[in-house]
Amino acid sequence: MQDFDSARRLYAERGFARRVGWGDRPAILVIDLTNGFTDPDSPVGGDLTDVIKETRRVLDLARSTSLPVMFTSIAYDDPDLEGGYWVKKIPALRVLKMGTDAVQIDPRLGRRVSEPVLFKRFTSAFFGTNLQSLLQSLRIDTLVVCGTSTSGCIRSTACDAVQMGFRCIVPETAVGDRAEAPHLANLFDINAKYADVAPIAEVLEELARFTPKKRA
Amino acid sequence: MQDFDSARRLYAERGFARRVGWGDRPAILVIDLTNGFTDPDSPVGGDLTDVIKETRRVLDLARSTSLPVMFTSIAYDDPDLEGGYWVKKIPALRVLKMGTDAVQIDPRLGRRVSEPVLFKRFTSAFFGTNLQSLLQSLRIDTLVVCGTSTSGCIRSTACDAVQMGFRCIVPETAVGDRAEAPHLANLFDINAKYADVAPIAEVLEELARFTPKKRA
Amino acid sequence: MQDFDSARRLYAERGFARRVGWGDRPAILVIDLTNGFTDPDSPVGGDLTDVIKETRRVLDLARSTSLPVMFTSIAYDDPDLEGGYWVKKIPALRVLKMGTDAVQIDPRLGRRVSEPVLFKRFTSAFFGTNLQSLLQSLRIDTLVVCGTSTSGCIRSTACDAVQMGFRCIVPETAVGDRAEAPHLANLFDINAKYADVAPIAEVLEELARFTPKKRA
Amino acid sequence: MQDFDSARRLYAERGFARRVGWGDRPAILVIDLTNGFTDPDSPVGGDLTDVIKETRRVLDLARSTSLPVMFTSIAYDDPDLEGGYWVKKIPALRVLKMGTDAVQIDPRLGRRVSEPVLFKRFTSAFFGTNLQSLLQSLRIDTLVVCGTSTSGCIRSTACDAVQMGFRCIVPETAVGDRAEAPHLANLFDINAKYADVAPIAEVLEELARFTPKKRA
């Protein structure tokens, strides 16, 4: 996109977008790849076939090295009560009813019973959940964030991750959005300010370095 | 921007970007209009003359009706220690040293002693500050967010505001950025998902409805 | 208890334990009165028959005036993973498995479907839940906290409530504990520092002042 | 105290108060040992000479092994605005004005410039501060909490520490209170539910195991 070229140049001059790099204990966090978001016919959905394939590559490798994997799912008992002005802004979120198929993890990801699902009501995976607590007690220092949407929950999660002291890595093709322009604009911001947006080959190579670890 | 047109059409079809509207008790929150950000020669700065003028219009009206006004300032004693991977990502933030001129509110805003300054170390005005506590004890239900940058601290603050149950209003010309493309892309996202981005004339008209209130 | 007399005198001299008083929009928050805690044979339980009776009086009045009512329940899919060092400290918490009878609200409280249950993994009702968000979007300013245990989740919830800018009222006989000495010691601290501990008759009288309100 | 004996027996039967133990990266957190709290003539103060001596022993050892040390201080620009209902409950807190001697760390602790002071407005060291972020980016897993008061800020900090996934150790004689009965009652609760309350000799012995570490 031509428009972002001057921003890219300015950020380069100012020294934005430095690499954060990997720590010693990564975990994989898969954001909102539930049926409600991966079904193109759902009011909040889109075709995320490629994102699911790429995320599955990350998951397969993480599982083979026993790295922690966790998922989020937006789900409401009473969307208007719990979702506040967010659901007022995006009424389509009301389809994400607790207990329905829409809030289940897409089966193509092969979620295992031991991989926790954190139910959230808003955009960041950290907001109103026990995610920070879980990561601290597992001593995670690096979050690999996959899923959807780049311009919504991926971005807000990456933003909170850096605020809370975590390194954050976003495999470029393992995150997606229902719309292309916001997807690209947010990848630009995320990489400039919060996380390392990296080619998936590089992420898989880094993950492969981790020998099996057991939870203490 | 041509690219966002298809996103705009898709969001319209899906019912995104509904109006949130005003509550009964607004407060004005001015984000990071400190000398470090408003001096074009500062490593993190830009020319924000127009944003300051527009924000000053909002402030003048709020002051005349005694609505609460508060400011944020990014400031560090030890940037590398306190700013974590955010300062690693954007090393230019290191100039924002506690006690220096760079972290003082731009004098063109005429800050009054009674208007609190919340010092923060990261992007959202809510993160690591007492902002939520302050707003709740003042019973604020609507945040009018001005300042900089649209693609950074304005967006993350609007995002947290909606998560925390506040209505959020962004006067379009009272927020700014060092780069145009991220500014516009983030206004699009903010309006689609988190807050009402509104012309300043409309914001001033709404604010004028509020008769003087005394803090309990 | 004789021991607390000198503390009580010192606090009186120093001006601790001032009244906070009621605001305009109270909600009732019932902490952890789930079968796991109200069954004396449960590893974390005790005989809370009187607490349930007193809490039910508060609930009946709140329901008749349509004041918001909400519940918390400690529940885990994987207690050791999610409960961290708290479950390590108190292994008996492991019985609180998501989906079992132990984490259901005690039927004697007559919970209605419209009254939300917030599942938590730790002690404060605010930690890792959407409680603050829910209260802010309902514009609640006063929390009436009932339930168990006084020396655990009641105290930490009252503490967070005051930190987050809420007025907090604890009806003395509607909170209970499995052990008498910690119950009394914590009522003393709660009243000295965080909340108004009040006779239930006074709480009921205050609640009766509120005419039916509709959610906006 | 006779009263707590039956509680102690009950907790033993139920398996409360298990040991949490030490992790790999401890930090020392000194709570509110500012002149306002350590001057017996201050409205919120008490004679904490012994607590300061014991805390200094912990600090001396931590400094010799380069373990991170941090302090908190309660300080307000406008106590009634920022302190909300907590300051209404305990008006004596109003003496803790930002910039005055009352909010400086007691000089007997020999605070070094490199040891951060986190200013807070409420009881927990985590509330409205960047403490969690700081600890995560330093990869701390164990907090040794010293200072005052046992029945206030020590307890709420220990409670939040366990919620946020940290191991928490309280050296018994390095924490103090203005009143004896709440001090003992809260040590009992803290040890039963949140942290390991340990003799200072044991804490010093554990700390001595840590060879000098450099910040990454």
Side-chain angles (χ1 to χ4, degrees), chain C residues 20-24 26 28 67 141-142 144 167 169 196 198 202-204 206-207 209-210:
Chain C
V20 160
W22 290 69
D24 298 324
I28 315 301
L67 292 173
D141 61 2
T142 306
V144 179
R167 297 164 186 264
I169 311 288
D196 294 349
E202 189 186 308
V203 174
L204 294 173
E206 289 283 349
L207 282 175
R209 290 187 303 115
F210 292 92

PDB file of all heavy atoms in Angstrom, chain C residues 20-24 26 28 67 141-142 144 167 169 196 198 202-204 206-207 209-210:
ATOM      1  N   VAL C  20     -18.667   5.127  55.026  1.00  0.00           N
ATOM      2  CA  VAL C  20     -18.622   5.430  53.603  1.00  0.00           C
ATOM      3  C   VAL C  20     -20.009   5.815  53.097  1.00  0.00           C
ATOM      4  O   VAL C  20     -20.183   6.752  52.324  1.00  0.00           O
ATOM      5  CB  VAL C  20     -18.078   4.207  52.821  1.00  0.00           C
ATOM      6  CG1 VAL C  20     -18.464   4.281  51.349  1.00  0.00           C
ATOM      7  CG2 VAL C  20     -16.562   4.118  52.965  1.00  0.00           C
ATOM      8  N   GLY C  21     -21.005   5.098  53.552  1.00  0.00           N
ATOM      9  CA  GLY C  21     -22.387   5.403  53.173  1.00  0.00           C
ATOM     10  C   GLY C  21     -22.791   4.882  51.807  1.00  0.00           C
ATOM     11  O   GLY C  21     -21.970   4.324  51.073  1.00  0.00           O
ATOM     12  N   TRP C  22     -24.063   5.069  51.484  1.00  0.00           N
ATOM     13  CA  TRP C  22     -24.669   4.532  50.266  1.00  0.00           C
ATOM     14  C   TRP C  22     -24.645   5.554  49.134  1.00  0.00           C
ATOM     15  O   TRP C  22     -24.779   6.749  49.353  1.00  0.00           O
ATOM     16  CB  TRP C  22     -26.125   4.142  50.548  1.00  0.00           C
ATOM     17  CG  TRP C  22     -26.255   2.956  51.443  1.00  0.00           C
ATOM     18  CD1 TRP C  22     -25.936   2.896  52.767  1.00  0.00           C
ATOM     19  CD2 TRP C  22     -26.711   1.663  51.074  1.00  0.00           C
ATOM     20  NE1 TRP C  22     -26.167   1.642  53.254  1.00  0.00           N
ATOM     21  CE2 TRP C  22     -26.658   0.860  52.232  1.00  0.00           C
ATOM     22  CE3 TRP C  22     -27.172   1.097  49.883  1.00  0.00           C
ATOM     23  CZ2 TRP C  22     -27.042  -0.476  52.225  1.00  0.00           C
ATOM     24  CZ3 TRP C  22     -27.560  -0.229  49.891  1.00  0.00           C
ATOM     25  CH2 TRP C  22     -27.483  -1.017  51.043  1.00  0.00           C
ATOM     26  N   GLY C  23     -24.517   5.041  47.925  1.00  0.00           N
ATOM     27  CA  GLY C  23     -24.657   5.874  46.738  1.00  0.00           C
ATOM     28  C   GLY C  23     -26.077   5.782  46.192  1.00  0.00           C
ATOM     29  O   GLY C  23     -27.028   5.577  46.953  1.00  0.00           O
ATOM     30  N   ASP C  24     -26.175   5.905  44.877  1.00  0.00           N
ATOM     31  CA  ASP C  24     -27.491   5.952  44.243  1.00  0.00           C
ATOM     32  C   ASP C  24     -27.896   4.657  43.558  1.00  0.00           C
ATOM     33  O   ASP C  24     -29.068   4.474  43.247  1.00  0.00           O
ATOM     34  CB  ASP C  24     -27.491   7.044  43.146  1.00  0.00           C
ATOM     35  CG  ASP C  24     -27.243   8.412  43.730  1.00  0.00           C
ATOM     36  OD1 ASP C  24     -27.717   8.667  44.849  1.00  0.00           O
ATOM     37  OD2 ASP C  24     -26.553   9.215  43.066  1.00  0.00           O
ATOM     38  N   PRO C  26     -27.190   0.727  44.007  1.00  0.00           N
ATOM     39  CA  PRO C  26     -26.569  -0.457  44.596  1.00  0.00           C
ATOM     40  C   PRO C  26     -26.810  -1.718  43.764  1.00  0.00           C
ATOM     41  O   PRO C  26     -27.752  -1.783  42.979  1.00  0.00           O
ATOM     42  CB  PRO C  26     -27.271  -0.593  45.949  1.00  0.00           C
ATOM     43  CG  PRO C  26     -28.590   0.067  45.757  1.00  0.00           C
ATOM     44  CD  PRO C  26     -28.460   1.093  44.647  1.00  0.00           C
ATOM     45  N   ILE C  28     -26.348  -6.183  44.458  1.00  0.00           N
ATOM     46  CA  ILE C  28     -26.062  -7.217  45.464  1.00  0.00           C
ATOM     47  C   ILE C  28     -25.097  -8.218  44.850  1.00  0.00           C
ATOM     48  O   ILE C  28     -25.346  -8.737  43.762  1.00  0.00           O
ATOM     49  CB  ILE C  28     -27.343  -7.975  45.880  1.00  0.00           C
ATOM     50  CG1 ILE C  28     -28.511  -7.011  46.141  1.00  0.00           C
ATOM     51  CG2 ILE C  28     -27.060  -8.880  47.080  1.00  0.00           C
ATOM     52  CD1 ILE C  28     -28.286  -5.990  47.195  1.00  0.00           C
ATOM     53  N   LEU C  67     -33.338  -4.461  41.894  1.00  0.00           N
ATOM     54  CA  LEU C  67     -31.914  -4.108  41.957  1.00  0.00           C
ATOM     55  C   LEU C  67     -31.096  -5.265  41.377  1.00  0.00           C
ATOM     56  O   LEU C  67     -31.439  -6.430  41.572  1.00  0.00           O
ATOM     57  CB  LEU C  67     -31.480  -3.854  43.406  1.00  0.00           C
ATOM     58  CG  LEU C  67     -32.083  -2.617  44.056  1.00  0.00           C
ATOM     59  CD1 LEU C  67     -31.709  -2.567  45.530  1.00  0.00           C
ATOM     60  CD2 LEU C  67     -31.614  -1.346  43.345  1.00  0.00           C
ATOM     61  N   ASP C 141     -22.817   2.045  41.802  1.00  0.00           N
ATOM     62  CA  ASP C 141     -21.819   2.753  42.614  1.00  0.00           C
ATOM     63  C   ASP C 141     -21.657   2.166  44.013  1.00  0.00           C
ATOM     64  O   ASP C 141     -20.762   2.587  44.749  1.00  0.00           O
ATOM     65  CB  ASP C 141     -22.123   4.249  42.691  1.00  0.00           C
ATOM     66  CG  ASP C 141     -23.459   4.548  43.341  1.00  0.00           C
ATOM     67  OD1 ASP C 141     -24.158   3.618  43.786  1.00  0.00           O
ATOM     68  OD2 ASP C 141     -23.799   5.741  43.410  1.00  0.00           O
ATOM     69  N   THR C 142     -22.523   1.214  44.375  1.00  0.00           N
ATOM     70  CA  THR C 142     -22.502   0.660  45.731  1.00  0.00           C
ATOM     71  C   THR C 142     -22.674  -0.848  45.655  1.00  0.00           C
ATOM     72  O   THR C 142     -23.614  -1.325  45.033  1.00  0.00           O
ATOM     73  CB  THR C 142     -23.676   1.250  46.558  1.00  0.00           C
ATOM     74  OG1 THR C 142     -23.605   2.679  46.511  1.00  0.00           O
ATOM     75  CG2 THR C 142     -23.631   0.778  48.004  1.00  0.00           C
ATOM     76  N   VAL C 144     -23.292  -4.301  47.753  1.00  0.00           N
ATOM     77  CA  VAL C 144     -23.655  -4.976  48.992  1.00  0.00           C
ATOM     78  C   VAL C 144     -23.131  -6.402  48.870  1.00  0.00           C
ATOM     79  O   VAL C 144     -23.569  -7.150  47.993  1.00  0.00           O
ATOM     80  CB  VAL C 144     -25.175  -4.975  49.211  1.00  0.00           C
ATOM     81  CG1 VAL C 144     -25.533  -5.713  50.492  1.00  0.00           C
ATOM     82  CG2 VAL C 144     -25.700  -3.540  49.221  1.00  0.00           C
ATOM     83  N   ARG C 167     -18.417   2.124  46.567  1.00  0.00           N
ATOM     84  CA  ARG C 167     -18.801   2.047  47.978  1.00  0.00           C
ATOM     85  C   ARG C 167     -19.130   0.584  48.267  1.00  0.00           C
ATOM     86  O   ARG C 167     -19.742  -0.081  47.415  1.00  0.00           O
ATOM     87  CB  ARG C 167     -20.056   2.877  48.236  1.00  0.00           C
ATOM     88  CG  ARG C 167     -19.885   4.362  47.969  1.00  0.00           C
ATOM     89  CD  ARG C 167     -21.260   5.016  47.859  1.00  0.00           C
ATOM     90  NE  ARG C 167     -21.160   6.416  47.465  1.00  0.00           N
ATOM     91  CZ  ARG C 167     -21.163   7.431  48.326  1.00  0.00           C
ATOM     92  NH1 ARG C 167     -21.269   7.198  49.632  1.00  0.00           N
ATOM     93  NH2 ARG C 167     -21.056   8.673  47.905  1.00  0.00           N
ATOM     94  N   ILE C 169     -20.723  -2.207  51.159  1.00  0.00           N
ATOM     95  CA  ILE C 169     -21.495  -2.416  52.388  1.00  0.00           C
ATOM     96  C   ILE C 169     -21.512  -3.916  52.675  1.00  0.00           C
ATOM     97  O   ILE C 169     -21.808  -4.706  51.771  1.00  0.00           O
ATOM     98  CB  ILE C 169     -22.963  -1.951  52.203  1.00  0.00           C
ATOM     99  CG1 ILE C 169     -23.050  -0.548  51.579  1.00  0.00           C
ATOM    100  CG2 ILE C 169     -23.745  -2.080  53.498  1.00  0.00           C
ATOM    101  CD1 ILE C 169     -22.652   0.592  52.459  1.00  0.00           C
ATOM    102  N   ASP C 196     -18.352  -0.520  54.962  1.00  0.00           N
ATOM    103  CA  ASP C 196     -19.190  -0.358  56.149  1.00  0.00           C
ATOM    104  C   ASP C 196     -19.787  -1.715  56.510  1.00  0.00           C
ATOM    105  O   ASP C 196     -20.608  -2.256  55.756  1.00  0.00           O
ATOM    106  CB  ASP C 196     -20.311   0.640  55.874  1.00  0.00           C
ATOM    107  CG  ASP C 196     -19.803   2.058  55.629  1.00  0.00           C
ATOM    108  OD1 ASP C 196     -18.607   2.329  55.874  1.00  0.00           O
ATOM    109  OD2 ASP C 196     -20.607   2.910  55.198  1.00  0.00           O
ATOM    110  N   ALA C 198     -22.426  -3.430  58.569  1.00  0.00           N
ATOM    111  CA  ALA C 198     -23.651  -2.867  59.135  1.00  0.00           C
ATOM    112  C   ALA C 198     -24.623  -3.963  59.534  1.00  0.00           C
ATOM    113  O   ALA C 198     -24.631  -5.040  58.929  1.00  0.00           O
ATOM    114  CB  ALA C 198     -24.310  -1.953  58.107  1.00  0.00           C
ATOM    115  N   GLU C 202     -30.351  -2.519  59.145  1.00  0.00           N
ATOM    116  CA  GLU C 202     -30.002  -1.227  58.543  1.00  0.00           C
ATOM    117  C   GLU C 202     -29.828  -1.354  57.020  1.00  0.00           C
ATOM    118  O   GLU C 202     -30.263  -0.491  56.261  1.00  0.00           O
ATOM    119  CB  GLU C 202     -28.692  -0.749  59.191  1.00  0.00           C
ATOM    120  CG  GLU C 202     -28.289   0.669  58.849  1.00  0.00           C
ATOM    121  CD  GLU C 202     -26.898   0.982  59.427  1.00  0.00           C
ATOM    122  OE1 GLU C 202     -26.685   0.758  60.643  1.00  0.00           O
ATOM    123  OE2 GLU C 202     -26.025   1.408  58.635  1.00  0.00           O
ATOM    124  N   VAL C 203     -29.199  -2.451  56.592  1.00  0.00           N
ATOM    125  CA  VAL C 203     -29.009  -2.683  55.159  1.00  0.00           C
ATOM    126  C   VAL C 203     -30.362  -2.837  54.461  1.00  0.00           C
ATOM    127  O   VAL C 203     -30.614  -2.246  53.392  1.00  0.00           O
ATOM    128  CB  VAL C 203     -28.127  -3.925  54.918  1.00  0.00           C
ATOM    129  CG1 VAL C 203     -28.041  -4.268  53.433  1.00  0.00           C
ATOM    130  CG2 VAL C 203     -26.732  -3.701  55.502  1.00  0.00           C
ATOM    131  N   LEU C 204     -31.254  -3.599  55.084  1.00  0.00           N
ATOM    132  CA  LEU C 204     -32.578  -3.812  54.476  1.00  0.00           C
ATOM    133  C   LEU C 204     -33.357  -2.498  54.402  1.00  0.00           C
ATOM    134  O   LEU C 204     -34.055  -2.226  53.414  1.00  0.00           O
ATOM    135  CB  LEU C 204     -33.369  -4.867  55.271  1.00  0.00           C
ATOM    136  CG  LEU C 204     -32.784  -6.292  55.226  1.00  0.00           C
ATOM    137  CD1 LEU C 204     -33.549  -7.205  56.193  1.00  0.00           C
ATOM    138  CD2 LEU C 204     -32.814  -6.873  53.814  1.00  0.00           C
ATOM    139  N   GLU C 206     -32.084   0.511  54.134  1.00  0.00           N
ATOM    140  CA  GLU C 206     -31.510   1.322  53.048  1.00  0.00           C
ATOM    141  C   GLU C 206     -31.972   0.805  51.690  1.00  0.00           C
ATOM    142  O   GLU C 206     -32.357   1.576  50.811  1.00  0.00           O
ATOM    143  CB  GLU C 206     -29.971   1.285  53.105  1.00  0.00           C
ATOM    144  CG  GLU C 206     -29.362   2.053  54.262  1.00  0.00           C
ATOM    145  CD  GLU C 206     -29.363   3.572  54.024  1.00  0.00           C
ATOM    146  OE1 GLU C 206     -29.640   4.013  52.888  1.00  0.00           O
ATOM    147  OE2 GLU C 206     -29.106   4.302  54.991  1.00  0.00           O
ATOM    148  N   LEU C 207     -31.919  -0.506  51.525  1.00  0.00           N
ATOM    149  CA  LEU C 207     -32.316  -1.087  50.237  1.00  0.00           C
ATOM    150  C   LEU C 207     -33.771  -0.782  49.912  1.00  0.00           C
ATOM    151  O   LEU C 207     -34.142  -0.597  48.745  1.00  0.00           O
ATOM    152  CB  LEU C 207     -32.106  -2.611  50.247  1.00  0.00           C
ATOM    153  CG  LEU C 207     -30.668  -3.099  50.068  1.00  0.00           C
ATOM    154  CD1 LEU C 207     -30.624  -4.620  50.222  1.00  0.00           C
ATOM    155  CD2 LEU C 207     -30.117  -2.703  48.701  1.00  0.00           C
ATOM    156  N   ARG C 209     -35.324   1.812  50.318  1.00  0.00           N
ATOM    157  CA  ARG C 209     -35.483   3.163  49.761  1.00  0.00           C
ATOM    158  C   ARG C 209     -35.463   3.181  48.236  1.00  0.00           C
ATOM    159  O   ARG C 209     -35.867   4.172  47.626  1.00  0.00           O
ATOM    160  CB  ARG C 209     -34.327   4.078  50.234  1.00  0.00           C
ATOM    161  CG  ARG C 209     -34.360   4.444  51.690  1.00  0.00           C
ATOM    162  CD  ARG C 209     -33.284   5.490  51.996  1.00  0.00           C
ATOM    163  NE  ARG C 209     -31.939   5.070  51.643  1.00  0.00           N
ATOM    164  CZ  ARG C 209     -31.180   5.635  50.712  1.00  0.00           C
ATOM    165  NH1 ARG C 209     -31.629   6.669  50.015  1.00  0.00           N
ATOM    166  NH2 ARG C 209     -29.955   5.178  50.466  1.00  0.00           N
ATOM    167  N   PHE C 210     -34.924   2.126  47.630  1.00  0.00           N
ATOM    168  CA  PHE C 210     -34.738   2.173  46.177  1.00  0.00           C
ATOM    169  C   PHE C 210     -35.981   1.717  45.445  1.00  0.00           C
ATOM    170  O   PHE C 210     -36.397   0.580  45.571  1.00  0.00           O
ATOM    171  CB  PHE C 210     -33.522   1.345  45.755  1.00  0.00           C
ATOM    172  CG  PHE C 210     -32.248   1.965  46.239  1.00  0.00           C
ATOM    173  CD1 PHE C 210     -31.699   1.601  47.461  1.00  0.00           C
ATOM    174  CD2 PHE C 210     -31.644   2.977  45.512  1.00  0.00           C
ATOM    175  CE1 PHE C 210     -30.551   2.204  47.927  1.00  0.00           C
ATOM    176  CE2 PHE C 210     -30.496   3.585  45.975  1.00  0.00           C
ATOM    177  CZ  PHE C 210     -29.942   3.202  47.191  1.00  0.00           C
TER     178      PHE C 210
END
